[in-house]
Amino acid sequence: MSLIEHLEELRKRILWSLVFVAVAFFPCWEFKEKIFAFLERPILNQLPPGTKLAYTGVVDPFILYFKVAALAAVFATTPFILFQIWRFIAPGLYLRERRYILPFVFFGTLFFLAGGAFAYYGVFPAALQYLLKLGGGFQPVITIERYFGLLLALLLGLGLIFELPILIFVICEIGLVTPGFLLRHYRYAVVIIFIAAAIITPTPDVLNMCLFALPALLLYLLGIAAAAISQLRKRRAQETAAAAG
């Protein structure tokens, strides 16, 4: 495929992904209040009973609910989006590599949802507790826009970070790098992951940064292990076929 054909294929996959998200958006819009009630639970658990989040503009609630429905649609259509990603990279794969489509979609969806759950139940409550304690001498006026922006960054950020094993497995399978190379350069990965943790984590304390970085390091090693096992199996299969021949 030429560069123009690659760009055309990318445009097609992006459009199909947007179509899936748009279709899922409308049922999510019908449940927008319930979805946001779930999403605002971490902050309400940290505030005095009866406290409500604030807004400063008359259109802010509409914008908030639009973003809430869009976020829910993205999580709901994760398998379809991953399928489109696979369709984009599949032309560059060998036939034996294309059989990984189902594991790619399944585990990609599983890890993305796990990353969102880890952000919601783990990192976000810990960050809120630290930030509210830090501002304990002031009267909090927390707006829905600022709150949801912070939550959105963590949910999508950790969701993408949890795709790290899938990314490592794919680039090892197509031969860009080897598991040994990634393992030998593990110290560089540690530095990059902690820099990413410092950027994405909403608080400057070491504890919350480690809540982000340590799982990412484990996922990095998990991806290397999966790629190494796959390559070992292929090597043994080739040796068996050569011996049989």
Side-chain angles (χ1 to χ4, degrees):
M1 295 175 67
S2 66
L3 176 61
I4 300 300
E5 289 173 331
H6 277 295
L7 293 176
E8 179 63 26
E9 181 68 15
L10 178 61
R11 184 186 70 86
K12 182 191 301 184
R13 297 307 157 198
I14 292 176
L15 287 177
W16 273 113
S17 299
L18 292 176
V19 168
F20 285 125
V21 173
V23 171
F25 174 86
F26 295 101
C28 292
W29 177 264
E30 292 297 319
F31 297 96
K32 57 186 181 299
E33 291 92 349
K34 293 183 178 180
I35 296 173
F36 185 69
F38 173 76
L39 294 177
E40 71 173 343
R41 193 175 301 164
I43 187 67
L44 295 183
N45 289 338
Q46 305 279 354
L47 297 175
T51 303
K52 293 184 178 180
L53 300 182
Y55 65 93
T56 58
V58 292
V59 298
D60 286 355
F62 174 80
I63 296 175
L64 168 75
Y65 285 135
F66 184 90
K67 292 179 179 179
V68 166
L71 175 65
V74 168
F75 273 89
T77 58
T78 298
F80 303 100
I81 296 174
L82 289 172
F83 178 72
Q84 295 305 313
I85 295 174
W86 182 267
R87 290 291 301 272
F88 175 70
I89 65 176
L93 303 177
Y94 292 107
L95 289 177
R96 60 180 174 80
E97 295 167 341
R98 296 181 185 179
R99 70 179 187 272
Y100 290 120
I101 178 173
L102 291 180
F104 176 82
V105 173
F106 175 78
F107 286 105
T109 302
L110 181 64
F111 279 113
F112 186 74
L113 297 179
F118 180 71
Y120 178 83
Y121 291 105
V123 175
F124 193 52
L128 288 176
Q129 185 176 13
Y130 173 84
L131 293 171
L132 291 173
K133 183 179 179 181
L134 187 65
F138 307 96
Q139 174 63 41
V141 181
I142 304 171
T143 64
I144 54 177
E145 179 183 1
R146 299 292 294 273
Y147 170 77
F148 184 73
L150 178 61
L151 177 58
L152 179 66
L154 282 178
L155 289 176
L156 294 181
L158 277 169
L160 292 176
I161 288 297
F162 268 60
E163 296 293 312
L164 188 58
I166 308 299
L167 175 62
I168 291 174
F169 183 84
V170 170
I171 63 176
C172 288
E173 282 295 304
I174 63 179
L176 291 180
V177 295
T178 63
F181 174 85
L182 294 174
L183 196 58
R184 287 194 303 271
H185 294 82
Y186 179 75
R187 58 185 180 274
Y188 298 110
V190 171
V191 173
I192 294 173
I193 287 173
F194 269 92
I195 291 175
I199 295 173
I200 297 178
T201 306
T203 64
D205 65 299
V206 177
L207 177 60
N208 280 306
M209 187 170 66
C210 288
L211 284 175
F212 173 91
L214 294 180
L217 291 173
L218 293 177
L219 292 168
Y220 180 81
L221 294 175
L222 178 62
I224 293 176
I229 292 172
S230 175
Q231 294 196 2
L232 180 61
R233 291 179 60 186
K234 286 192 295 185
R235 191 178 303 116
R236 288 180 177 176
Q238 291 173 355
E239 292 173 353
T240 302

